[in-house]
Amino acid sequence: LRSHKTGLHKISMKGNANTNWSRRQILGVGAGFVLLNGKKGVAAAEAPDKNVIKLKIGLKTLNRLLEQWDEQTTLCNFAEVPRELLETQNKAQLLEKAKVNALFDKEGAMVIKCKRNPVPIREAMGFNEDPGQPLYRADKTIKLARKRIDPDQLEDYIEAEERWSQLQSSLDSMSYASSMRGSALGEFKKGDPEPEQAKFLESERREVGKARDVLQRIVTALDAPG
């Protein structure tokens, strides 16, 4: 019985020794992991993140679009010859102007027509299935960049992420519908006031502004020191 008890005692001590050794191993590995992970975290913070770079470029693109809205969303590449110049008595004048300049817009012989163009909106938002556009599938890019966010800021970041997805979806639908309507909603002469029916992109302008603001929040969060 004593021998049996001694055996049990030895087994128990052996088990404790193994347990103590395992703990030391765990603590050593844990300390090493923290050290390595800390170095990796510093390297990750210092290294440029391609996802963040894409979002920053996309933000600049949206800012430029909003700053140059009228210029970028107005297409003036077609013209009409005034009917009075096509009358028999004026054909000689028309031909003379054509000899000087093929377009002769400045001479007043042609009327340059303009229309609103939603294509730059779709390009800026990355809707054209072109991986070269910085905001192409930006919702996925924003999600991939989430790992850089401080845990204390994660809730706000996810809220902005969800808001971006909503605006991305609504702008995709709106700009696509506008591209289908085309010039049916109003052409106007270059230099003249824009008619009301040609102002159909104003809703898109407001939504792009909201999308820009949300993306600014996301980029600012990604730039915050971790």
Side-chain angles (χ1 to χ4, degrees):
L1 180 61
R2 184 176 180 180
S3 174
H4 180 63
K5 287 181 179 179
T6 304
L8 285 175
H9 180 67
K10 287 181 179 178
I11 292 171
S12 176
M13 290 296 291
K14 186 176 181 182
N16 287 338
N18 285 343
T19 302
N20 291 337
W21 175 248
S22 298
R23 286 173 184 164
R24 284 196 297 272
Q25 284 182 316
I26 291 169
L27 288 173
V29 170
F33 176 78
V34 170
L35 182 61
L36 290 173
N37 192 50
K39 290 180 179 178
K40 184 184 290 186
V42 171
E46 293 175 350
D49 187 310
K50 64 179 183 180
N51 293 316
V52 178
I53 291 172
K54 286 173 66 177
L55 294 175
K56 287 183 176 181
I57 295 172
L59 179 60
K60 288 182 179 179
T61 303
L62 292 183
N63 278 325
R64 191 181 311 114
L65 173 63
L66 288 166
E67 290 166 3
Q68 304 171 358
W69 183 265
D70 288 338
E71 179 183 344
Q72 289 203 32
T73 62
T74 304
L75 186 63
C76 298
N77 65 347
F78 57 106
E80 293 179 352
V81 177
R83 289 188 178 183
E84 58 271 17
L85 278 179
L86 294 178
E87 295 176 1
T88 305
Q89 63 270 29
N90 293 323
K91 282 187 178 180
Q93 180 186 354
L94 179 61
L95 291 172
E96 186 61 30
K97 288 180 179 291
K99 290 178 185 179
V100 178
N101 186 337
L103 292 177
F104 47 87
D105 172 36
K106 293 181 180 179
E107 299 295 327
M110 295 191 81
V111 176
I112 303 298
K113 292 285 188 174
C114 302
K115 64 180 180 180
R116 283 298 181 189
N117 177 28
V119 170
I121 301 171
R122 298 189 60 77
E123 290 176 347
M125 289 294 297
F127 295 149
N128 289 345
E129 294 300 317
D130 179 2
Q133 294 174 349
L135 293 183
Y136 173 69
R137 297 185 179 176
D139 53 336
K140 298 183 184 299
T141 305
I142 293 168
K143 187 173 182 179
L144 287 170
R146 192 196 296 170
K147 64 182 182 292
R148 298 175 61 92
I149 297 298
D150 186 284
D152 293 337
Q153 306 299 321
L154 189 57
E155 185 176 350
D156 289 341
Y157 185 87
I158 292 175
E159 179 185 336
E161 188 179 327
E162 291 173 349
R163 180 59 177 148
W164 170 267
S165 294
Q166 293 169 1
L167 289 165
Q168 180 178 257
S169 179
S170 66
L171 268 168
D172 190 11
S173 300
M174 292 168 68
S175 59
Y176 179 78
S178 293
S179 66
M180 293 295 100
R181 287 179 288 183
S183 60
L185 289 178
E187 297 175 356
F188 53 97
K189 181 181 177 181
K190 186 177 180 180
D192 281 359
E194 186 179 3
E196 285 301 317
Q197 65 267 30
K199 297 180 179 178
F200 62 93
L201 290 184
E202 286 306 302
S203 297
E204 281 91 327
R205 191 207 292 250
R206 289 191 292 271
E207 292 298 289
V208 170
K210 294 175 186 177
R212 185 272 312 275
D213 292 345
V214 171
L215 188 56
Q216 179 65 71
R217 282 175 56 194
I218 290 169
V219 168
T220 300
L222 290 170
D223 271 346

